[in-house]
Amino acid sequence: MKRRTLITGWLVATLAATAPAWAQVGPSPGEAAAYSGLHAAAQQGDAAKIARLAASGAALNATDARGRTPLHVATFARQREAIRALVKAGADINRLENDRYDAVTIASVADDEESLRLLLQLGASAKQTTSRYDGTALIAAAHLGHDGVVRQLIAAGAPLDHVNNLHWTATIESIVLGDGGARHQSTLKALIDAGANLQLADRTGQTPLALARSRGYSAMVAMLEKAGGQ
């Protein structure tokens, strides 16, 4: 058990140290200022210009140096009318950029519930495998304790028990990468209520309940025990 705890602790610490290099990368101010065409219109939220450019044959899924389409740019910028205009014109709503993030995951990581709600209403999928971790938007949101986002994604059919390449589920990430506070507790409750598998363990064999106990997250422990976690 001590060795397992050391391994898990090392992995969490390693992730914390390398997170900036592995995280989503939105357009920098310099990149945004240099945009033209649809990328510029998306960044600025100019829906009328998007419609005009689309009607004239502009490439809706053109990419910048990091593989971001105008839709990715609009999502990073929280430009919801631009999102709507791009999708109406035929932009690929589920496309991945170079780091393998889609618009749904971008909005989820940003805790941008309004943009996420719009994307899902427009037909975006909550089921895609995204990121270098082979994860999902739900796993990313659970990691961050974005409980409202988590509830939206669950309602949209996000896979509750997807296991990423760290061998973690959304339930496990809500514990091992969370702080045990109110929003991570709310996230865990949403996953439990939705029927997430509480017996799926990490690669060292520790279940969500064991992980919560090892961190002293008493509220999470109580929830998991009540739900039948072992």
Side-chain angles (χ1 to χ4, degrees), residues 74-80 83 106-117 146 149 152:
T75 305
F76 274 119
R78 303 189 180 213
Q79 297 287 8
R80 297 177 191 108
I83 291 172
I106 291 167
S108 296
V109 168
D111 204 15
D112 183 358
E113 292 192 47
E114 290 186 43
S115 294
L116 176 62
R117 186 172 294 108
H146 294 167
V149 166
Q152 279 199 58

Side-chain angles (χ1 to χ4, degrees), residues 15-27:
L15 282 173
T18 60
W22 283 41
Q24 292 177 4
V25 181

Side-chain angles (χ1 to χ4, degrees), residues 154 160 188-196:
I154 290 171
L160 292 174
L188 178 59
K189 183 178 187 304
L191 291 163
I192 291 171
D193 290 348

Side-chain angles (χ1 to χ4, degrees), residues 5-214:
T5 301
L6 286 172
I7 290 171
T8 302
W10 170 84
L11 184 53
V12 171
T14 299
L15 282 173
T18 60
W22 283 41
Q24 292 177 4
V25 181
S28 68
E31 286 176 309
Y35 280 147
S36 61
L38 281 172
H39 281 87
Q43 178 70 34
Q44 296 158 10
D46 192 336
K49 186 175 181 180
I50 288 169
R52 290 196 302 272
L53 289 169
S56 67
L60 291 165
N61 298 312
T63 57
D64 66 10
R66 296 192 66 94
R68 307 183 199 97
T69 66
L71 182 61
H72 294 133
V73 169
T75 305
F76 274 119
R78 303 189 180 213
Q79 297 287 8
R80 297 177 191 108
E81 290 310 308
I83 291 172
R84 191 185 299 277
L86 286 161
V87 175
K88 181 179 179 180
D92 183 353
I93 199 169
N94 292 313
R95 187 168 177 135
L96 305 180
E97 42 90 271
N98 288 356
D99 289 322
R100 297 175 56 205
Y101 290 106
D102 59 352
V104 163
T105 312
I106 291 167
S108 296
V109 168
D111 204 15
D112 183 358
E113 292 192 47
E114 290 186 43
S115 294
L116 176 62
R117 186 172 294 108
L118 174 61
L119 287 160
L120 295 173
Q121 288 172 351
L122 293 172
S125 174
K127 301 178 181 181
Q128 293 206 106
T129 298
T130 65
S131 85
R132 302 181 191 183
Y133 298 107
D134 295 329
T136 61
L138 181 62
I139 290 177
H143 160 194
L144 296 164
H146 294 167
D147 51 335
V149 166
V150 164
R151 287 190 288 272
Q152 279 199 58
L153 293 170
I154 290 171
L160 292 174
D161 299 318
H162 179 92
V163 180
N164 66 15
N165 59 23
L166 300 172
H167 213 80
W168 288 344
T169 62
T171 301
I172 288 174
E173 289 220 4
S174 74
I175 298 165
V176 301
L177 294 180
D179 61 8
R183 293 198 72 188
H184 283 97
Q185 291 172 33
S186 180
T187 293
L188 178 59
K189 183 178 187 304
L191 291 163
I192 291 171
D193 290 348
N197 186 340
L198 305 181
Q199 311 311 319
L200 290 175
D202 68 11
R203 61 166 47 104
T204 69
Q206 294 195 83
T207 63
L209 178 55
L211 291 163
R213 282 175 175 161
S214 72

